[in-house]
Amino acid sequence: MANTASARKRIRQTEKRTIRNRARRSRVRTFLRKVEAAIATGDKNQAQEAFRSAQPEMQRAATKGVLHANTVARKLSRLSARIKSLSA
């Protein structure tokens, strides 16, 4: 258990940050599932729309430190390639 005031404050801050990060990560996963579902249907326009909405959310997660920047770049690149390969 934390003995100092600063340690107690750190625990409070960590709890808040954990909740916030969990929500962000969950939100990103939801957007990714929407893109995956759109790709699975084979509708290129729908997939592009889902990708456009997911992109800023993923970038925000990288900016906030929830996901690593390279991870986001890799995922976006792979999704983009899969969408591009769909028949128009």
Side-chain angles (χ1 to χ4, degrees):
M1 192 63 209
N3 291 320
T4 62
S6 61
R8 285 192 287 274
K9 180 178 178 179
R10 276 316 219 164
I11 289 170
R12 289 195 308 271
Q13 288 176 329
T14 302
E15 285 172 358
K16 284 182 193 172
R17 199 175 307 115
T18 300
I19 291 166
R20 201 176 302 130
N21 287 345
R22 194 180 299 141
R24 279 201 186 104
R25 194 173 295 118
S26 173
R27 193 169 156 83
V28 166
R29 286 188 187 131
T30 301
F31 275 95
L32 283 175
R33 269 194 293 275
K34 287 178 184 175
V35 175
E36 291 288 345
I39 290 172
T41 62
D43 185 5
K44 191 170 186 172
N45 291 331
Q46 185 183 357
Q48 283 175 330
E49 280 302 311
F51 181 74
R52 274 194 212 104
S53 62
Q55 204 168 0
E57 201 60 45
M58 291 180 72
Q59 294 291 356
R60 196 169 299 119
T63 304
K64 300 293 182 181
V66 177
L67 296 173
H68 195 277
N70 289 354
T71 302
V72 171
R74 183 182 69 243
K75 286 182 184 287
L76 288 174
S77 175
R78 288 178 181 172
L79 283 173
S80 178
R82 285 174 61 194
I83 291 169
K84 209 178 267 189
S85 72
L86 289 175
S87 60

